Every structure is written in C-alpha cells, then in structure tokens.
Amino acid sequence: MPEADIATDDFEARVAAIGSAEVAVGIPTFNDARTIEAIVGAVAAGLDELGDTKAVIIHADAGSTDATVLRARGSANLPSKFLQWQAGTDTNPARYTAATPSSAALRAVFDVARRLGVKACAVVDAGALGLTPKWIPRLIEPVRMGQADFVTANYVRPPFAGAITSGIAYPMVRALFGKRVRHPMARDFAGSAGFLDYHLRQDLWTAELPPFGAQLRLTTDTLAAGFRVAE
C-alpha cells in the first residue's frame, strides 16, 4: 500500500504556531493550477464574512506536477493563517497514510483541523469555478452553531446534468438511509469535530476507491453512524 509522506518540519512548525482555530477550510488539490488562485481567494473572502472568527485555510496537495502549489502559496490577499501540506515532500514515517495521494490530502485536512481544535471544518473542490465567498458561511455556520454534524452542498444544475447522481446515487442513498442527500458525491461539505474524529478512526483512507468514491463513502458512512445531516 503506498504511503503519503508527512508534512515538512516547516508545516509542523506553522501548525504549532497557530495553535488553535475555531473553523477551518480545507482545499485538497491535484494539478489545479488553473483554478486554485480563484478558489483560495473565494475561501478567504468567505471566511472574512465570519467576522472575528479565528479561522485557518488548509491547502493539502496530492502531488501536483503543475504550478498548483506555487500559485496557491502566492495567491493575493491570503489571510495570515494559511497552511500548505504536500504529499511526497518528506521522507519521515507517514502521518497521513492512505491508499491514494488524494485520500492522503483529505486525511491531512481532517487531521490538522482536529489538531487545531476546530468546531467546524469545510472542504471545497479546487476545481469548482462556481464557488463564491457565500458558500463558506453557508457550509460552516450550521455546524458551528450546533445545528448539524455534516452539511453537504446542494447544487443548482440544469435538468439533465448529473444523471448518475440524480438517477442512481441519490435514490440509492435515500432508499438505504431514509435521508434526502441530493448530492451524496459532493466535494463541497462541512463537518463537526465529532465528524472529523469519527472518520479519522475509519478505514476510508486505506480503501482503493474510484473517482468520487471517497465522497460517496464519506456520506454513506456518516449517515450510517447517525450523524445529523443538512444540505
């Protein structure tokens, strides 16, 4: 099973220096140089809407071979609390062991957010060009206010877009769990501290999953565990 290397000493030092945060937003990436600057900017602006809330952005890269890492780091108007983790940049024993680099990146987001003691952690898709700053409080606030443990995005799409989701995944999840989660494979979601703790203990990270498989597994495991879910 391949292993994703832990963060560099500089990353660990930055985590220690930040110490704690109330909310976090994770941005897992892989060759997203075309979109990452816009995504980081939208996330930073969205966190500004939360006022004085102590927040951190966690950029976890799964080993991009393009300019994703440099463009994320150099994005304009970054808040001071910006953490950047890269798979394969250190030879120390792996902290974020996973079957795939993408799973390792997501696990890194969850682990760091938990170490910082956040009440709510959102994750956004680095390729979501439609993401706006308002997405961030809409994902985070229901969790931070104790109204839900898991908030998943409900996208507005054309009638015949996303046929697999609307025709297969959504009806299957509704039939199995009795919950209406219209986009169970959504890459934009938020979870509570309990949600993070639960999933860090599961075997999601070591499973060989197809594209979007991790998102679907995350949703179904959350529903099976009885967490409060909102859209």
Side-chain angles (χ1 to χ4, degrees):
M1 179 179 64
E3 292 185 340
D5 295 327
I6 65 167
T8 62
D9 291 340
D10 178 65
F11 175 87
E12 291 295 333
R14 284 184 56 76
V15 173
I18 291 171
S20 65
E22 188 173 353
V23 302
V25 178
I27 312 175
T29 59
F30 181 72
N31 291 338
D32 292 299
R34 185 174 63 90
T35 57
I36 187 60
E37 291 171 297
I39 296 300
V40 172
V43 169
L47 289 174
D48 285 343
E49 294 192 15
L50 298 178
D52 294 331
T53 301
K54 189 174 182 182
V56 62
I57 296 175
I58 305 167
H59 172 220
D61 186 74
S64 295
T65 56
D66 62 5
T68 298
V69 172
L70 290 176
R71 290 184 180 179
R73 187 181 302 155
S75 295
N77 300 317
L78 277 178
S80 59
K81 301 299 187 291
F82 179 76
L83 293 165
Q84 190 173 61
W85 176 87
Q86 299 167 256
T89 58
D90 200 302
T91 57
N92 292 324
R95 181 184 184 94
Y96 307 123
T97 303
T100 64
S102 59
S103 291
L106 184 59
R107 187 176 189 177
V109 170
F110 281 21
D111 181 82
V112 172
R114 197 65 195 99
R115 289 162 64 191
L116 293 173
V118 303
K119 292 181 179 178
C121 176
V123 174
V124 297
D125 181 5
L129 285 174
L131 185 143
T132 70
K134 292 190 180 297
W135 286 32
I136 305 307
R138 288 176 180 175
L139 287 170
I140 286 176
E141 286 295 69
V143 176
R144 189 169 70 135
M145 302 304 293
Q147 299 167 349
D149 297 298
F150 178 59
V151 177
T152 183
N154 187 355
Y155 307 107
V156 177
R157 290 175 172 169
F160 299 106
I164 293 177
T165 295
S166 60
I168 300 176
Y170 166 54
M172 178 189 71
V173 169
R174 184 180 61 185
L176 288 174
F177 300 102
K179 301 287 186 180
R180 294 181 181 273
V181 181
R182 295 189 179 276
H183 297 278
M185 296 185 289
R187 293 191 179 190
D188 305 290
F189 60 87
S192 64
F195 167 91
L196 299 176
D197 283 339
Y198 175 79
H199 287 291
L200 285 169
R201 295 194 301 267
Q202 305 309 306
D203 64 353
L204 169 69
W205 320 107
T206 57
E208 295 281 357
L209 298 169
F212 291 98
Q215 284 73 30
L216 181 58
R217 170 76 183 274
L218 194 72
T219 299
T220 55
D221 283 3
T222 299
L223 292 171
F227 284 104
R228 296 168 301 162
V229 178
E231 290 184 310

